[in-house]
Amino acid sequence: MLGRGLKRKLSDYEENMAGLSSRQLVLNMCLTKLQTYKMLVEPNLHRSVLIANTVQQESNCCDLRSAEDQIENSLLIVSDDDMSSAISSILKDLDFVEDISPPTCLVPTGDDQPKFPENAGLKLEDDRQDLKGAECVFGSFEISNSTSYLKDLAIDDIFEDIDTSMYDSDFCCPPLMPPRPPPLATEEPLKTFPSCNSSSANNIQICRTDLSELDHIMEILVGS
Amino acid sequence: MAPSPLPSPRGRWVPQTDHAFDPPPSLPVGGPPGDNSTVDWCLYQLNGAAEFEVSEADIISTVEFNHTGELLATGDKGGRVVIFQREPESKNEPYNQGEYNVYSTFQSHEPEFDYLKSLEIEEKINKIKWLPQQNAAHSLLSTNDKTIKLWKITERDKRPEGYNLKDEEGKLKDLSTVTSLQVPVLKPMDLMVEVTPRRIFANGHTYHVNSISVNSDCETYMSADDLRINLWHLAITDRSFNIVDIKPANMEDLTEVITASEFHPHHCNLFVYSSSKGSLRLCDMRASALCDKHSKLYEEPEDPSNRSFFSEIISSVSDVKFSHSGRYMLTRDYLTVKVWDLNMETKPVETYQVHDYLRSKLCSLYENDCIFDKFECAWNGSDSVIMTGAYNNFFRMFDRNTKRDVTLEASRESSKPRAILKPRRVCVGGKRRKDDISVDSLDFTKKILHTAWHPTENIIAIAATNNLYIFQDKVNSEMH
């Protein structure tokens, strides 16, 4: 994703210009990666930390620049602050995801992989998850077409009394959404829903704020 | 009798060994054994399906020799472990000497699903570590992202026959037919290799386990994830002791993760762990229960002339290995391998460039995520040569004494059995020799992340995607 309107001329050796465009390019990539990782069900902690540190260092370097450059870079400065707060919230979310519960011993049952249709457009590890879903050891449970399975369930009837309006967002945050409804046969998991809803409410709020900030940053960087 | 391989649960993995029975070509041989500067490597064996048949589950994710080098274990993305055993030497078949044949195959880990977190846990084997052999059985630890398992490998080559109460099929005999008493005798049978899970160490880690290391006391081992290191007793599965915890109170303050760790080979109280910031911390378990405070911190100050956006990312240490002597540590970061002296914390004693020509390509390597690839490194038995993998199926060896290095390739096309491997060269513009490869033609999907060196001999195991290459020193293979 290149900054629009910034052409790099081979003859142009002016360090500032060249530095600015490549810096924007890298920062754009950092932002995209962080966003992508956040979308993943289980973000890669190592990579997220490395990218966050890289962006942090760049924003520190930026602060040391001279006054003339300030005007040129003013847009970037604004976005760096926004970016650091976005990164902080991403790391906070990682904490939430990872330590939400003590690690449990796992028993494969007949459940399916969670599907997030809103993310279909993004290049994620969806393919990998699909592959895994197919190969998961789920005993004799036959899943011919998971999406049709979803439609067959009368989901709305079961959760009529739970207010799900908060979760209807364009950009969903998989780790913060309540677990997908299980097959009708089991009732136990339903008990966990109320607690899940209350604790995740705040985080969804934060998530939505960051996302609008990220959108704002994207707009600035792309220059539209 | 050669053991027959157990059927693979997926039925897809087919071991193929390529070896020629022709006498080796009479080429000038390297120097006397022990003189590593003139080692000539040749392909000894190649195991694995041809490239167009690769399925992701077959991708090898770890390789490890046991302490004697008799056994070689590989783990793959599908959660399987394959163990190879070296054929004992015999005068009858001079060219089959020292061949590694499949000894056992078993499914170590299965994919799991954590319902509370809506997370899938990969069955990929991250690491295998052998326990020192204490009796007739062999034991190894294998781990995926969350669970470590202890496996016991035993051989059965005898079977008792002549029971008094049971007949040959195991059915109870009619007592009226039993007229005399006999002592059951052990009769030889076809060798059967049995693998049983002896311990399952679960629920110890919230984050992804990246390394395991068996202590020299042979009673304990440690497992490390991104933020914590746990100490386990091999016989106790319901408890582990947390010895390092770098998780900050506020996750927003997180700037560093643990990338690898290992126990000292001789001192059971010492261990080292590496970080994403390029530092090493040596810890002494005698100093305190929680080893958050290191005893020594090994860190090289950054070279300002090499500073770039990606300085921090490429400084992240992907692997750390103690030398056999215990005096040095070897680390691998994205572009270099470094040898550290335990007595010197300020900088490494030796630095070797693995593929410095990638320095100008870091931006595109960041874009395609290759910059996050985790390469491993290895010492040879005498700690005089170090080895690490690179891209394009290249791997590099550095001789610490002569300061010479070589680039070799692990590929079907360029490796005829028993022929000596030709050194490869990457050219960066300027003069280009025949057979050189230019940086832009390198295949970044062909990466050699996992390599292992036999503990005493010049035999190396190289994992290239789904293929396992075993190279031997020409002299070594001729002597057999």
Side-chain angles (χ1 to χ4, degrees):
Chain A
M1 246 193 289
L2 279 171
R4 244 195 270 164
L6 274 173
K7 266 193 182 173
R8 272 186 75 186
K9 296 174 193 171
L10 276 175
S11 56
D12 188 349
Y13 288 111
E14 209 189 6
E15 217 177 58
N16 265 351
M17 279 304 291
L20 212 66
S21 62
S22 65
R23 187 165 176 273
Q24 269 189 337
L25 178 68
V26 173
L27 287 174
N28 284 350
M29 277 201 282
C30 288
L31 202 58
T32 315
K33 282 185 195 292
L34 283 172
Q35 256 184 309
T36 311
Y37 295 157
K38 194 172 175 185
M39 287 304 151
L40 289 179
V41 182
E42 201 176 12
N44 185 322
L45 197 60
H46 179 225
R47 287 194 193 185
S48 305
V49 165
L50 285 176
I51 297 168
N53 287 354
T54 304
V55 173
Q56 196 65 50
Q57 275 189 358
E58 283 311 305
S59 68
N60 291 342
C61 279
C62 193
D63 293 341
L64 300 170
R65 290 219 180 122
S66 68
E68 309 118 59
D69 295 343
Q70 290 289 335
I71 301 153
E72 249 180 296
N73 298 340
S74 61
L75 287 174
L76 289 169
I77 291 172
V78 164
S79 62
D80 284 342
D81 284 340
D82 286 341
M83 219 182 288
S84 348
S85 62
I87 288 162
S88 314
S89 65
I90 288 167
L91 287 173
K92 255 201 318 213
D93 290 344
L94 285 174
D95 186 13
F96 177 79
V97 171
E98 293 295 348
D99 277 343
I100 183 176
S101 60
T104 53
C105 205
L106 315 149
V107 178
T109 70
D111 203 357
D112 194 3
Q113 288 289 333
K115 288 252 180 200
F116 301 101
E118 295 94 321
N119 293 343
L122 290 169
K123 183 186 168 232
L124 304 171
E125 291 191 32
D126 265 350
D127 296 340
R128 192 187 127 252
Q129 283 190 351
D130 288 347
L131 187 73
K132 294 290 176 182
E135 289 186 16
C136 265
V137 179
F138 289 134
S140 56
F141 199 90
E142 233 178 296
I143 302 166
S144 51
N145 183 346
S146 45
T147 49
S148 69
Y149 173 75
L150 265 178
K151 285 179 200 150
D152 290 339
L153 280 180
I155 295 169
D156 292 336
D157 292 340
I158 302 166
F159 301 107
E160 232 175 332
D161 53 332
I162 297 174
D163 178 20
T164 54
S165 57
M166 278 186 79
Y167 309 137
D168 297 333
S169 105
D170 295 333
F171 252 69
C172 78
C173 304
L176 306 174
M177 281 185 80
R180 232 179 40 72
L184 289 164
T186 55
E187 273 190 49
E188 250 188 351
L190 287 173
K191 292 177 198 157
T192 68
F193 283 5
S195 55
C196 194
N197 284 351
S198 55
S199 58
S200 60
N202 289 334
N203 288 70
I204 287 177
Q205 241 356 80
I206 296 165
C207 181
R208 285 162 74 88
T209 321
D210 307 319
L211 289 166
S212 59
E213 278 178 355
L214 286 173
D215 283 341
H216 176 62
I217 297 163
M218 288 310 305
E219 274 171 359
I220 294 168
L221 289 176
V222 169
S224 59
Chain B
M1 261 182 98
S4 49
L6 291 178
S8 160
R10 291 180 203 258
R12 256 175 301 179
W13 193 90
V14 175
Q16 294 167 15
T17 45
D18 281 329
H19 50 85
F21 290 94
D22 307 319
S26 53
L27 289 167
V29 168
D35 178 4
N36 287 299
S37 60
T38 49
V39 169
D40 292 315
W41 294 96
C42 59
L43 175 62
Y44 208 66
Q45 279 171 259
L46 170 53
N47 288 62
E51 269 168 38
F52 51 85
E53 293 164 30
V54 180
S55 87
E56 200 168 314
D58 296 330
I59 295 174
I60 298 171
S61 50
T62 187
V63 187
E64 190 81 7
F65 280 100
N66 76 335
H67 296 272
T68 58
E70 185 210 348
L71 298 175
L72 173 65
T74 61
D76 66 23
K77 266 191 143 184
R80 280 167 305 181
V81 172
V82 181
I83 303 176
F84 298 84
Q85 185 190 42
R86 197 174 183 198
E87 284 300 317
E89 301 162 22
S90 99
K91 298 213 169 52
N92 301 333
E93 287 176 54
Y95 301 114
N96 253 358
Q97 255 37 214
E99 197 176 270
Y100 282 86
N101 290 323
V102 176
Y103 181 62
S104 173
T105 305
F106 62 96
Q107 187 75 30
S108 168
H109 287 73
E110 297 275 1
E112 291 171 37
F113 192 72
D114 182 345
Y115 288 89
L116 280 176
K117 295 192 218 173
S118 282
L119 295 173
E120 192 194 274
I121 297 167
E122 269 190 19
E123 68 274 34
K124 173 172 79 104
I125 308 293
N126 292 339
K127 282 284 179 317
I128 290 174
K129 284 282 143 81
W130 290 93
L131 267 57
Q133 193 177 9
Q134 288 174 327
N135 50 39
H138 295 279
S139 301
L140 62 77
L141 287 169
S142 64
T143 186
N144 68 348
D145 284 338
K146 297 288 184 190
T147 306
I148 305 123
K149 296 187 185 180
L150 175 66
W151 298 89
K152 188 162 155 188
I153 302 131
T154 48
E155 283 183 10
R156 192 194 288 268
D157 62 354
K158 292 181 193 52
R159 189 181 58 183
E161 273 178 27
Y163 282 104
N164 288 295
L165 299 175
K166 284 191 274 184
D167 65 15
E168 291 306 311
E169 280 104 58
K171 282 190 285 199
L172 284 174
K173 282 186 197 173
D174 182 359
L175 286 178
S176 57
T177 62
V178 180
T179 51
S180 62
L181 217 54
Q182 58 181 354
V183 177
V185 289
L186 290 172
K187 292 260 169 74
M189 60 178 254
D190 285 349
L191 182 66
M192 208 166 76
V193 180
E194 294 173 334
V195 182
T196 45
R198 296 304 299 240
R199 306 266 189 272
I200 295 179
F201 304 92
N203 305 326
H205 291 278
T206 310
Y207 303 96
H208 288 186
V209 175
N210 52 55
S211 22
I212 47 174
S213 177
V214 183
N215 203 345
S216 50
D217 64 10
C218 301
E219 282 187 1
T220 57
Y221 77 93
M222 70 166 166
S223 55
D225 66 28
D226 291 319
L227 298 179
R228 299 185 179 109
I229 301 182
N230 292 338
L231 182 72
W232 303 81
H233 191 286
L234 284 164
I236 299 169
T237 57
D238 61 355
R239 261 169 291 156
S240 73
F241 196 64
N242 177 242
I243 52 177
V244 174
D245 187 342
I246 63 168
K247 185 179 173 192
N250 225 335
M251 275 295 267
E252 293 173 36
D253 302 332
L254 181 66
T255 54
E256 201 171 5
V257 299
I258 297 169
T259 51
S261 67
E262 198 182 45
F263 266 120
H264 191 280
H266 312 306
H267 302 299
C268 56
N269 55 300
L270 290 180
F271 66 92
V272 70
Y273 70 91
S274 60
S275 83
S276 54
K277 286 204 164 175
S279 62
L280 296 173
R281 284 174 175 79
L282 187 73
C283 301
D284 188 338
M285 294 197 289
R286 297 171 303 187
S288 68
L290 190 58
C291 300
D292 278 358
K293 261 197 185 167
H294 49 265
S295 296
K296 282 187 190 280
L297 172 64
Y298 302 83
E299 211 168 20
E300 184 175 24
E302 199 190 334
D303 178 4
S305 63
N306 266 338
R307 183 110 192 21
S308 78
F309 290 122
F310 308 106
S311 295
E312 167 141 351
I313 298 179
I314 62 170
S315 71
S316 175
V317 174
S318 51
D319 193 17
V320 64
K321 294 260 166 52
F322 276 104
S323 62
H324 292 91
S325 61
R327 168 86 191 268
Y328 299 98
M329 296 179 294
L330 180 65
T331 58
R332 174 72 154 97
D333 51 62
Y334 193 61
L335 297 178
T336 70
V337 277
K338 295 176 177 163
V339 177
W340 301 78
D341 185 325
L342 250 65
N343 300 316
M344 186 156 81
E345 298 165 80
T346 51
K347 61 184 169 101
V349 288
E350 294 155 34
T351 302
Y352 301 96
Q353 300 295 332
V354 180
H355 37 206
D356 201 53
Y357 44 78
L358 295 183
R359 204 176 278 276
S360 54
K361 309 270 174 204
L362 291 178
C363 196
S364 26
L365 291 166
Y366 177 64
E367 202 175 359
N368 60 21
D369 282 349
C370 280
I371 208 175
F372 299 110
D373 284 336
K374 295 188 188 167
F375 292 94
E376 290 171 11
C377 51
W379 296 91
N380 74 336
S382 57
D383 298 336
S384 59
V385 183
I386 53 190
M387 166 172 74
T388 188
Y391 293 107
N392 209 72
N393 279 350
F394 288 169
F395 58 99
R396 305 261 283 135
M397 288 189 193
F398 303 90
D399 189 316
R400 299 176 60 212
N401 300 325
T402 64
K403 300 302 179 201
R404 275 158 51 179
D405 62 85
V406 69
T407 305
L408 300 170
E409 185 178 359
S411 78
R412 286 169 186 269
E413 295 77 42
S414 60
S415 312
K416 300 266 180 323
R418 302 293 194 269
I420 294 175
L421 281 183
K422 210 175 49 168
R424 304 305 311 260
R425 219 175 81 105
V426 177
C427 71
V428 227
K431 279 196 198 160
R432 199 197 148 150
R433 290 188 223 154
K434 182 190 160 220
D435 292 339
D436 276 7
I437 295 212
S438 81
V439 187
D440 300 308
S441 336
L442 290 175
D443 188 344
F444 291 96
T445 61
K446 294 195 177 144
K447 38 193 114 180
I448 292 182
L449 303 171
H450 313 289
T451 59
W453 205 310
H454 188 284
T456 50
E457 294 181 41
N458 276 341
I459 302 173
I460 54 178
I462 309 281
T465 323
N466 64 317
N467 289 313
L468 179 69
Y469 290 80
I470 298 175
F471 296 100
Q472 282 204 22
D473 174 9
K474 190 88 203 170
V475 174
N476 212 30
S477 57
E478 273 188 353
M479 270 163 64
H480 296 294

